[in-house]
Amino acid sequence: MLGRAATIAAVSCVLLVACGDSGSDGDATTTTAGPSTTVAENTTTVAAPVETTDAPSTTVSEDEQLAAAEQAYLDAFDAYIAAARDPSNPELRADIERLYTGPNLEFTIDQLDGFVEQNWIARPGEEPSRTEILLPPQFLPDRSDFVELVACEIDSEIFVEPGAAPDGSDALVTDEVAVRRIVVRLKALDGQWKSDSGEVVAELTEMSECAP
């Protein structure tokens, strides 16, 4: 999220080795073996049926990668909103570390640290904070580890300072709704997409203005 509240593998091998004893050297023999009267019994061998199961494919299609990147962006947005409502919560901060990287991680952690220092917390506004994908993720030219998308983010969180009002109630910091069209780039790290960087394209007043 960018802006006021965030930037935004088993194969078993069996080796069979046949070993014959070497014959010992001895005196020559004049014994001649007579014709054998032994008749081999007919042997019928029936091979046990073998079931073969194809291993699951580990290849991920491009469409699947892009869908995963889009979901990672949505998860990152939700993780920020949750953390802003409880900025000192270590589990929510761990989600930020898991879903963000690069400049966006640094920016978001700085935001949360600032909320803690100022004793600010976010609370849900009248309308839920949300984001809408305007242009879905596409790979950057000649890159398979970076995608870029365009989204419209609505941050309607109300920020308060608990207990700071003269009567001991919560003091309002801001209830301004922020609407922004943004570009977000996500980076693939260790098989997971993470929100990496981006910029605000336009500051708006309502989502209807977000169309690129």
Side-chain angles (χ1 to χ4, degrees):
M1 184 167 178
L2 300 169
R4 172 191 72 172
T7 136
I8 322 245
V11 176
S12 280
C13 295
V14 178
L15 180 62
L16 302 179
V17 180
C19 300
D21 292 336
S22 58
S24 60
D25 292 336
D27 296 333
T29 180
T30 58
T31 301
T32 302
S36 174
T37 59
T38 301
V39 178
E41 296 179 356
N42 291 333
T43 302
T44 301
T45 302
V46 179
V50 177
E51 292 186 5
T52 302
T53 303
D54 293 335
S57 174
T58 58
T59 301
V60 180
S61 71
E62 182 175 299
D63 287 345
E64 290 173 319
Q65 293 183 61
L66 295 174
E70 181 172 320
Q71 187 60 54
Y73 161 70
L74 297 173
D75 291 345
F77 179 88
D78 290 343
Y80 166 75
I81 296 298
R85 295 175 181 177
D86 190 1
S88 62
N89 186 311
E91 293 184 0
L92 298 178
R93 281 177 169 259
D95 286 339
I96 297 297
E97 297 277 356
R98 178 174 58 86
L99 294 163
Y100 289 80
T101 190
N104 281 4
L105 175 59
E106 181 179 356
F107 181 89
T108 304
I109 292 298
D110 285 347
Q111 287 271 8
L112 297 176
D113 288 344
F115 298 159
V116 172
E117 291 172 7
Q118 298 176 86
N119 193 31
W120 292 0
I121 63 171
R123 291 190 174 154
E126 292 185 5
E127 295 292 330
S129 294
R130 60 199 186 277
T131 186
E132 180 177 313
I133 305 295
L134 301 177
L135 295 176
Q138 295 295 325
F139 286 103
L140 294 184
D142 301 319
R143 298 295 297 265
S144 61
D145 60 338
F146 266 99
V147 299
E148 183 177 273
L149 61 81
V150 178
C152 182
E153 291 187 350
I154 298 182
D155 180 0
S156 60
E157 299 299 290
I158 297 172
F159 281 83
V160 300
E161 184 177 355
D167 62 357
S169 62
D170 299 343
L172 176 66
V173 176
T174 181
D175 58 358
E176 179 185 356
V177 177
V179 182
R180 296 182 175 95
R181 184 164 68 244
I182 63 170
V183 172
V184 179
R185 284 174 288 277
L186 296 100
K187 184 177 183 178
L189 291 171
D190 300 324
Q192 179 180 344
W193 290 101
K194 298 188 177 190
S195 178
D196 176 82
S197 57
E199 54 265 351
V200 175
V201 176
E203 297 274 1
L204 307 167
T205 58
E206 56 186 44
M207 183 170 272
S208 62
E209 301 173 349
C210 260

